[in-house]
Amino acid sequence: MIESKSVFRFVGFVIISGIGGFLLSLTGLSIGWMIGTLLTATLLSIFYPKLLQVSAPHKQKGLPKIWLHVGQLILGIELGRKMNSSVLYIFGENWLTIIVMLILSIVFALLSGFIVWKYTNLDMLTGFFATAPGGLSSIPSIAEEVGANTGIVSIVQTMRIFLVVLTIPVVLSMSFVNHTSSVASHPVPTATPPFEAQQMLWTVVFILIAWLGYYLGKFLKFPAPWLLGSMVSVAAVKSFGSIIIGHDLIFWWPHVLMILSQVFIGASIGSRFHKNMFSGLKRTLVVSLLGTIGLIISMFTCSYIVSLLTGISFITSALAFAPGGIAEMTTTAIVLDADSTFVVAVQVLRIIAVCIILPPLFRWLNYWEMKKGAYTHESA
């Protein structure tokens, strides 16, 4: 009985959050579904009405992850069915610029972490991991392994993603969506094919392929395996299947599914916020907020330079280098008609680079700081 009530609360929470997304979408803001849902879910979580209580107050963890996973699965299938050769073409033409920008994004994140560490009472490891742009699903788990404060890392990471998702899509949607386009030489068809029974059958097949792709992504330790595993598996089967059959495999995939994806992802992020998260962390949150704002400004500047040097649209470049989550940025790319496959490719490269490079670097910096402190203590 209790479990049944929880399910109704979860569903009610998502529906009311989705209504907020619907209302914001009426303004004409193309990413309104996700932003409105995110804001509504955040308000519901912070003010915490008993009717929509998603868990006990002292165990608040937000919606069950299945909601986020379903949203990522839908998004992964959407990306897989739109996969084309534009990513390889762009990397081949501009690989040096992209690598330099990835390195710069990591450097800016390190600078932000240094500021958080120096101007708060956090230890070095916690300060650096809290600002590392590696994703909410991967960075806290790595931070726990090396002894950082996982709770604070999760809070600051959540706040950063919230701020990035709330600001970057809105700015891009309002300022640039009508003035730029994706990679013009490699357009992606967006028309929904007419419904047929055969297409419905292929839809079921590709959903199963995407679900199996999750297990493949999990086995290969992909970041966000529900998104990347499903995307890679659908893209591979669709490409090779089309070659074998001799024509494109078309399956029924209406636009309303992308709206559901935005609602599920937005509600899942917003549900992670609650009042207790911010108690006793005023100084840390203020410094982290300022650091995130600086990171966003530097990202916009670098993305503009990349768009000038490479010819990649500013929207695509900004979303590719944005210090947000893979699912959030790729959802925004699809809605704003940017090159979503390029965005997800660069986001994945950034997260892989962050997860490989930063943890050993943080350990070395922490060891150096402890050794320096011990030396100073002995000298005194």
Side-chain angles (χ1 to χ4, degrees), residues 199-225:
Q199 293 174 6
M200 190 62 188
L201 177 61
W202 278 116
T203 300
V204 175
V205 171
F206 275 104
I207 290 175
L208 292 175
I209 290 170
W211 179 65
L212 293 174
Y214 155 71
Y215 289 100
L216 175 64
K218 187 177 180 180
F219 175 76
L220 296 175
K221 300 188 183 300
F222 284 176

mmCIF file of all heavy atoms in Angstrom, residues 199-225:
data_model
loop_
_atom_site.group_PDB
_atom_site.id
_atom_site.type_symbol
_atom_site.label_atom_id
_atom_site.label_comp_id
_atom_site.label_asym_id
_atom_site.label_seq_id
_atom_site.Cartn_x
_atom_site.Cartn_y
_atom_site.Cartn_z
ATOM 1 N N GLN A 199 6.693 0.044 -39.574
ATOM 2 C CA GLN A 199 7.476 1.011 -38.822
ATOM 3 C C GLN A 199 7.296 0.807 -37.318
ATOM 4 O O GLN A 199 8.235 0.964 -36.542
ATOM 5 C CB GLN A 199 7.081 2.427 -39.218
ATOM 6 C CG GLN A 199 7.464 2.783 -40.653
ATOM 7 C CD GLN A 199 6.946 4.135 -41.066
ATOM 8 O OE1 GLN A 199 6.384 4.866 -40.258
ATOM 9 N NE2 GLN A 199 7.107 4.470 -42.337
ATOM 10 N N MET A 200 6.093 0.465 -36.902
ATOM 11 C CA MET A 200 5.847 0.191 -35.483
ATOM 12 C C MET A 200 6.646 -1.018 -35.025
ATOM 13 O O MET A 200 7.182 -1.048 -33.910
ATOM 14 C CB MET A 200 4.346 -0.044 -35.259
ATOM 15 C CG MET A 200 3.955 -0.109 -33.789
ATOM 16 S SD MET A 200 4.313 1.439 -32.932
ATOM 17 C CE MET A 200 3.982 0.943 -31.230
ATOM 18 N N LEU A 201 6.736 -2.027 -35.895
ATOM 19 C CA LEU A 201 7.532 -3.209 -35.564
ATOM 20 C C LEU A 201 8.997 -2.843 -35.390
ATOM 21 O O LEU A 201 9.647 -3.282 -34.428
ATOM 22 C CB LEU A 201 7.374 -4.263 -36.671
ATOM 23 C CG LEU A 201 8.215 -5.544 -36.503
ATOM 24 C CD1 LEU A 201 7.828 -6.268 -35.217
ATOM 25 C CD2 LEU A 201 8.055 -6.449 -37.713
ATOM 26 N N TRP A 202 9.512 -2.019 -36.308
ATOM 27 C CA TRP A 202 10.898 -1.576 -36.185
ATOM 28 C C TRP A 202 11.104 -0.737 -34.924
ATOM 29 O O TRP A 202 12.180 -0.760 -34.318
ATOM 30 C CB TRP A 202 11.317 -0.785 -37.420
ATOM 31 C CG TRP A 202 11.728 -1.636 -38.579
ATOM 32 C CD1 TRP A 202 11.125 -1.726 -39.801
ATOM 33 C CD2 TRP A 202 12.839 -2.543 -38.630
ATOM 34 N NE1 TRP A 202 11.778 -2.621 -40.608
ATOM 35 C CE2 TRP A 202 12.843 -3.142 -39.912
ATOM 36 C CE3 TRP A 202 13.826 -2.908 -37.708
ATOM 37 C CZ2 TRP A 202 13.795 -4.071 -40.298
ATOM 38 C CZ3 TRP A 202 14.781 -3.846 -38.091
ATOM 39 C CH2 TRP A 202 14.763 -4.413 -39.363
ATOM 40 N N THR A 203 10.087 0.005 -34.521
ATOM 41 C CA THR A 203 10.174 0.798 -33.284
ATOM 42 C C THR A 203 10.416 -0.116 -32.086
ATOM 43 O O THR A 203 11.290 0.146 -31.252
ATOM 44 C CB THR A 203 8.881 1.612 -33.066
ATOM 45 O OG1 THR A 203 8.691 2.491 -34.162
ATOM 46 C CG2 THR A 203 8.973 2.419 -31.774
ATOM 47 N N VAL A 204 9.642 -1.194 -32.009
ATOM 48 C CA VAL A 204 9.816 -2.160 -30.915
ATOM 49 C C VAL A 204 11.215 -2.771 -30.958
ATOM 50 O O VAL A 204 11.888 -2.920 -29.931
ATOM 51 C CB VAL A 204 8.731 -3.257 -30.990
ATOM 52 C CG1 VAL A 204 8.980 -4.324 -29.923
ATOM 53 C CG2 VAL A 204 7.337 -2.647 -30.815
ATOM 54 N N VAL A 205 11.661 -3.129 -32.173
ATOM 55 C CA VAL A 205 12.984 -3.728 -32.336
ATOM 56 C C VAL A 205 14.077 -2.780 -31.847
ATOM 57 O O VAL A 205 14.986 -3.175 -31.097
ATOM 58 C CB VAL A 205 13.231 -4.117 -33.809
ATOM 59 C CG1 VAL A 205 14.687 -4.524 -34.028
ATOM 60 C CG2 VAL A 205 12.297 -5.242 -34.219
ATOM 61 N N PHE A 206 13.991 -1.513 -32.239
ATOM 62 C CA PHE A 206 15.034 -0.564 -31.867
ATOM 63 C C PHE A 206 14.989 -0.204 -30.382
ATOM 64 O O PHE A 206 16.016 0.115 -29.795
ATOM 65 C CB PHE A 206 14.943 0.695 -32.727
ATOM 66 C CG PHE A 206 15.665 0.562 -34.041
ATOM 67 C CD1 PHE A 206 14.963 0.361 -35.218
ATOM 68 C CD2 PHE A 206 17.050 0.615 -34.091
ATOM 69 C CE1 PHE A 206 15.625 0.219 -36.426
ATOM 70 C CE2 PHE A 206 17.722 0.472 -35.292
ATOM 71 C CZ PHE A 206 17.008 0.271 -36.471
ATOM 72 N N ILE A 207 13.816 -0.249 -29.771
ATOM 73 C CA ILE A 207 13.745 -0.048 -28.313
ATOM 74 C C ILE A 207 14.480 -1.176 -27.598
ATOM 75 O O ILE A 207 15.231 -0.951 -26.637
ATOM 76 C CB ILE A 207 12.278 0.041 -27.851
ATOM 77 C CG1 ILE A 207 11.649 1.352 -28.345
ATOM 78 C CG2 ILE A 207 12.190 -0.044 -26.321
ATOM 79 C CD1 ILE A 207 10.167 1.479 -28.035
ATOM 80 N N LEU A 208 14.282 -2.416 -28.069
ATOM 81 C CA LEU A 208 14.999 -3.555 -27.497
ATOM 82 C C LEU A 208 16.503 -3.431 -27.738
ATOM 83 O O LEU A 208 17.314 -3.733 -26.849
ATOM 84 C CB LEU A 208 14.477 -4.865 -28.100
ATOM 85 C CG LEU A 208 13.041 -5.255 -27.714
ATOM 86 C CD1 LEU A 208 12.611 -6.498 -28.483
ATOM 87 C CD2 LEU A 208 12.933 -5.489 -26.213
ATOM 88 N N ILE A 209 16.888 -2.977 -28.921
ATOM 89 C CA ILE A 209 18.309 -2.776 -29.230
ATOM 90 C C ILE A 209 18.904 -1.722 -28.304
ATOM 91 O O ILE A 209 20.015 -1.881 -27.791
ATOM 92 C CB ILE A 209 18.473 -2.364 -30.708
ATOM 93 C CG1 ILE A 209 18.144 -3.541 -31.623
ATOM 94 C CG2 ILE A 209 19.897 -1.861 -30.978
ATOM 95 C CD1 ILE A 209 18.051 -3.172 -33.083
ATOM 96 N N ALA A 210 18.163 -0.637 -28.074
ATOM 97 C CA ALA A 210 18.636 0.421 -27.178
ATOM 98 C C ALA A 210 18.782 -0.103 -25.759
ATOM 99 O O ALA A 210 19.749 0.235 -25.053
ATOM 100 C CB ALA A 210 17.664 1.605 -27.214
ATOM 101 N N TRP A 211 17.841 -0.932 -25.322
ATOM 102 C CA TRP A 211 17.896 -1.501 -23.968
ATOM 103 C C TRP A 211 19.115 -2.412 -23.824
ATOM 104 O O TRP A 211 19.814 -2.364 -22.813
ATOM 105 C CB TRP A 211 16.600 -2.269 -23.704
ATOM 106 C CG TRP A 211 16.541 -2.914 -22.349
ATOM 107 C CD1 TRP A 211 16.511 -2.285 -21.139
ATOM 108 C CD2 TRP A 211 16.520 -4.313 -22.081
ATOM 109 N NE1 TRP A 211 16.460 -3.209 -20.117
ATOM 110 C CE2 TRP A 211 16.469 -4.466 -20.671
ATOM 111 C CE3 TRP A 211 16.532 -5.460 -22.880
ATOM 112 C CZ2 TRP A 211 16.429 -5.709 -20.053
ATOM 113 C CZ3 TRP A 211 16.488 -6.693 -22.268
ATOM 114 C CH2 TRP A 211 16.440 -6.812 -20.874
ATOM 115 N N LEU A 212 19.392 -3.224 -24.849
ATOM 116 C CA LEU A 212 20.594 -4.064 -24.828
ATOM 117 C C LEU A 212 21.857 -3.204 -24.892
ATOM 118 O O LEU A 212 22.888 -3.548 -24.299
ATOM 119 C CB LEU A 212 20.565 -5.042 -26.006
ATOM 120 C CG LEU A 212 19.476 -6.122 -25.960
ATOM 121 C CD1 LEU A 212 19.477 -6.930 -27.249
ATOM 122 C CD2 LEU A 212 19.679 -7.033 -24.758
ATOM 123 N N GLY A 213 21.756 -2.060 -25.597
ATOM 124 C CA GLY A 213 22.895 -1.152 -25.670
ATOM 125 C C GLY A 213 23.275 -0.590 -24.315
ATOM 126 O O GLY A 213 24.457 -0.301 -24.067
ATOM 127 N N TYR A 214 22.292 -0.435 -23.428
ATOM 128 C CA TYR A 214 22.603 0.016 -22.058
ATOM 129 C C TYR A 214 23.543 -0.954 -21.376
ATOM 130 O O TYR A 214 24.525 -0.546 -20.735
ATOM 131 C CB TYR A 214 21.311 0.173 -21.249
ATOM 132 C CG TYR A 214 21.545 0.035 -19.764
ATOM 133 C CD1 TYR A 214 22.207 1.028 -19.045
ATOM 134 C CD2 TYR A 214 21.119 -1.105 -19.078
ATOM 135 C CE1 TYR A 214 22.437 0.887 -17.685
ATOM 136 C CE2 TYR A 214 21.337 -1.251 -17.723
ATOM 137 C CZ TYR A 214 21.997 -0.251 -17.028
ATOM 138 O OH TYR A 214 22.236 -0.398 -15.686
ATOM 139 N N TYR A 215 23.256 -2.250 -21.495
ATOM 140 C CA TYR A 215 24.114 -3.251 -20.854
ATOM 141 C C TYR A 215 25.505 -3.258 -21.480
ATOM 142 O O TYR A 215 26.507 -3.454 -20.779
ATOM 143 C CB TYR A 215 23.466 -4.635 -20.957
ATOM 144 C CG TYR A 215 22.248 -4.779 -20.081
ATOM 145 C CD1 TYR A 215 20.965 -4.655 -20.616
ATOM 146 C CD2 TYR A 215 22.374 -5.010 -18.711
ATOM 147 C CE1 TYR A 215 19.841 -4.772 -19.811
ATOM 148 C CE2 TYR A 215 21.252 -5.132 -17.903
ATOM 149 C CZ TYR A 215 19.997 -5.005 -18.450
ATOM 150 O OH TYR A 215 18.894 -5.112 -17.654
ATOM 151 N N LEU A 216 25.557 -3.034 -22.788
ATOM 152 C CA LEU A 216 26.856 -2.925 -23.440
ATOM 153 C C LEU A 216 27.617 -1.704 -22.907
ATOM 154 O O LEU A 216 28.809 -1.797 -22.602
ATOM 155 C CB LEU A 216 26.677 -2.809 -24.956
ATOM 156 C CG LEU A 216 27.948 -2.556 -25.776
ATOM 157 C CD1 LEU A 216 28.909 -3.738 -25.643
ATOM 158 C CD2 LEU A 216 27.604 -2.297 -27.238
ATOM 159 N N GLY A 217 26.923 -0.557 -22.804
ATOM 160 C CA GLY A 217 27.553 0.644 -22.277
ATOM 161 C C GLY A 217 27.991 0.479 -20.834
ATOM 162 O O GLY A 217 29.053 0.966 -20.438
ATOM 163 N N LYS A 218 27.199 -0.228 -20.044
ATOM 164 C CA LYS A 218 27.556 -0.480 -18.651
ATOM 165 C C LYS A 218 28.780 -1.381 -18.561
ATOM 166 O O LYS A 218 29.676 -1.167 -17.739
ATOM 167 C CB LYS A 218 26.369 -1.113 -17.914
ATOM 168 C CG LYS A 218 26.571 -1.260 -16.423
ATOM 169 C CD LYS A 218 25.314 -1.826 -15.770
ATOM 170 C CE LYS A 218 25.517 -1.975 -14.261
ATOM 171 N NZ LYS A 218 24.296 -2.536 -13.611
ATOM 172 N N PHE A 219 28.822 -2.402 -19.427
ATOM 173 C CA PHE A 219 29.965 -3.321 -19.445
ATOM 174 C C PHE A 219 31.241 -2.599 -19.854
ATOM 175 O O PHE A 219 32.320 -2.846 -19.300
ATOM 176 C CB PHE A 219 29.672 -4.479 -20.400
ATOM 177 C CG PHE A 219 30.833 -5.425 -20.593
ATOM 178 C CD1 PHE A 219 31.163 -6.345 -19.610
ATOM 179 C CD2 PHE A 219 31.603 -5.372 -21.755
ATOM 180 C CE1 PHE A 219 32.237 -7.207 -19.782
ATOM 181 C CE2 PHE A 219 32.671 -6.227 -21.928
ATOM 182 C CZ PHE A 219 32.992 -7.156 -20.936
ATOM 183 N N LEU A 220 31.124 -1.685 -20.821
ATOM 184 C CA LEU A 220 32.282 -0.930 -21.303
ATOM 185 C C LEU A 220 32.570 0.299 -20.450
ATOM 186 O O LEU A 220 33.470 1.073 -20.765
ATOM 187 C CB LEU A 220 32.053 -0.500 -22.757
ATOM 188 C CG LEU A 220 31.927 -1.640 -23.773
ATOM 189 C CD1 LEU A 220 31.593 -1.087 -25.150
ATOM 190 C CD2 LEU A 220 33.219 -2.465 -23.816
ATOM 191 N N LYS A 221 31.752 0.484 -19.382
ATOM 192 C CA LYS A 221 31.932 1.600 -18.440
ATOM 193 C C LYS A 221 31.792 2.960 -19.125
ATOM 194 O O LYS A 221 32.561 3.886 -18.870
ATOM 195 C CB LYS A 221 33.279 1.489 -17.710
ATOM 196 C CG LYS A 221 33.437 0.208 -16.903
ATOM 197 C CD LYS A 221 34.684 0.210 -16.048
ATOM 198 C CE LYS A 221 34.848 -1.114 -15.297
ATOM 199 N NZ LYS A 221 33.724 -1.394 -14.401
ATOM 200 N N PHE A 222 30.788 3.071 -20.012
ATOM 201 C CA PHE A 222 30.474 4.359 -20.614
ATOM 202 C C PHE A 222 29.942 5.307 -19.548
ATOM 203 O O PHE A 222 29.222 4.872 -18.646
ATOM 204 C CB PHE A 222 29.393 4.220 -21.692
ATOM 205 C CG PHE A 222 29.865 3.640 -22.982
ATOM 206 C CD1 PHE A 222 28.968 3.393 -24.012
ATOM 207 C CD2 PHE A 222 31.200 3.339 -23.196
ATOM 208 C CE1 PHE A 222 29.373 2.861 -25.212
ATOM 209 C CE2 PHE A 222 31.628 2.801 -24.400
ATOM 210 C CZ PHE A 222 30.707 2.561 -25.409
ATOM 211 N N PRO A 223 30.265 6.608 -19.629
ATOM 212 C CA PRO A 223 29.528 7.572 -18.800
ATOM 213 C C PRO A 223 28.101 7.669 -19.330
ATOM 214 O O PRO A 223 27.887 7.662 -20.539
ATOM 215 C CB PRO A 223 30.296 8.892 -19.023
ATOM 216 C CG PRO A 223 30.991 8.708 -20.327
ATOM 217 C CD PRO A 223 31.308 7.248 -20.446
ATOM 218 N N ALA A 224 27.116 7.737 -18.421
ATOM 219 C CA ALA A 224 25.699 7.775 -18.819
ATOM 220 C C ALA A 224 25.373 6.644 -19.787
ATOM 221 O O ALA A 224 25.001 6.867 -20.946
ATOM 222 C CB ALA A 224 25.356 9.121 -19.439
ATOM 223 N N PRO A 225 25.484 5.370 -19.369
ATOM 224 C CA PRO A 225 25.293 4.235 -20.294
ATOM 225 C C PRO A 225 23.890 4.157 -20.884
ATOM 226 O O PRO A 225 23.724 3.655 -21.995
ATOM 227 C CB PRO A 225 25.597 3.012 -19.421
ATOM 228 C CG PRO A 225 25.394 3.471 -18.014
ATOM 229 C CD PRO A 225 25.798 4.913 -18.004
#
